[in-house]
C-alpha cells in the first residue's frame, strides 16, 4: 500500500505531506466570495509567483516574503480550507477519497495532469495584469476527475 493509504494525514512526514500536492496551481488562483451568498468563485488570475507553464511556485521556499497572505496547507487546517478545489489531493484524502489517476505520485510526472486539463497550464493570467477581477471568473477549476 502507498503511504497515503495506510497513514492518517497527521502521521505523514513533512516530505510525504509535500509530495501529496499534485502541483496543479489551482490553490494559487485568486478567488472571490459573494458577501451575500458566501458562494466561492475561482478566477483565472494567478498569483504573481505562479509559473504558468509548470504550474509551480517560482519561489516556493521563500514565498511568504513575496506573498505574506499565502496559506500553508497542513493536515491540521485542510478541513477548514473550503476554497481548495475538489480535485486537490489534500482535500480528496481528507474527505476519505483516494488520489486521482492523473496524480504525479501515480504517474511519475505532472504530464498526465496537464494532459487531462487538471492544472492551470495555459489557462491563467498574471494577477498584476487584471483590472476587474470579476471579469476573470472561470469554472474550469471546479472540474474533478475520478
Amino acid at each position: 500500500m502507498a503511504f497515503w493509504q495506510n497513514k492518517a494525514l497527521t502521521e505523514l512526514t513533512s516530505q510525504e505531506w509535500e509530495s501529496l500536492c499534485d502541483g496543479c496551481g489551482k490553490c494559487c488562483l485568486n478567488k472571490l466570495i459573494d458577501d451575500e451568498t458566501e458562494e466561492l468563485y475561482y478566477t483565472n488570475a494567478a498569483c504573481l509567483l505562479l509559473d504558468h507553464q509548470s504550474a509551480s511556485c517560482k519561489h516556493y521556499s521563500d514565498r511568504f516574503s513575496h506573498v505574506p497572505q499565502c496559506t500553508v496547507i497542513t493536515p491540521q487546517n485542510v478541513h477548514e480550507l473550503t476554497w481548495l478545489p475538489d480535485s486537490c489531493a489534500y482535500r480528496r484524502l481528507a474527505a476519505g477519497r483516494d488520489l486521482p489517476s492523473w496524480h504525479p505520485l501515480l504517474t511519475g510526472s505532472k504530464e498526465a495532469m496537464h494532459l487531462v486539463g487538471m492544472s492551470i497550464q495555459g489557462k491563467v493570467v498574471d494577477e498584476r495584469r487584471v483590472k476587474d477581477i470579476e471579469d476573470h471568473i472561470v469554472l474550469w477549476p471546479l472540474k474533478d476527475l475520478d
Side-chain angles (χ1 to χ4, degrees):
M1 284 184 99
F3 69 86
W4 61 88
Q5 294 174 322
N6 60 17
K7 286 185 176 182
L9 294 180
T10 55
E11 296 173 329
L12 299 176
T13 66
S14 58
Q15 183 179 8
E16 289 171 332
W17 177 258
E18 287 288 323
S19 73
L20 288 175
C21 176
D22 50 50
C24 70
K26 292 177 187 175
C27 62
C28 301
L29 298 175
N30 286 270
K31 296 151 203 76
L32 300 171
I33 297 179
D34 185 305
D35 291 335
E36 294 177 19
T37 66
E38 295 191 22
E39 189 168 352
L40 174 72
Y41 296 95
Y42 284 85
T43 73
N44 67 345
C47 173
L48 62 106
L49 299 181
L50 190 60
D51 182 302
H52 299 185
Q53 188 59 33
S54 69
S56 299
C57 182
K58 297 176 195 172
H59 298 284
Y60 186 74
S61 61
D62 67 335
R63 65 194 183 277
F64 302 107
S65 64
H66 300 278
V67 182
Q69 69 272 24
C70 184
T71 302
V72 177
I73 302 168
T74 67
Q76 291 73 29
N77 73 3
V78 69
H79 294 284
E80 301 164 19
L81 304 178
T82 57
W83 49 264
L84 289 171
D86 289 341
S87 61
C88 172
Y90 294 131
R91 187 165 185 181
R92 289 174 67 109
L93 292 174
R97 297 171 67 199
D98 203 352
L99 295 181
S101 60
W102 47 265
H103 194 282
L105 281 176
L106 301 176
T107 65
S109 77
K110 290 171 101 176
E111 191 58 30
M113 175 183 57
H114 295 314
L115 287 173
V116 295
M118 293 308 294
S119 77
I120 59 90
Q121 188 181 63
K123 300 176 187 170
V124 298
V125 296
D126 188 309
E127 66 186 355
R128 295 170 292 189
R129 304 189 102 164
V130 171
K131 290 184 182 167
D132 294 317
I133 193 77
E134 294 85 6
D135 293 339
H136 290 268
I137 293 174
V138 292
L139 297 176
W140 55 262
L142 301 172
K143 181 179 177 185
D144 192 10
L145 296 177
D146 61 52

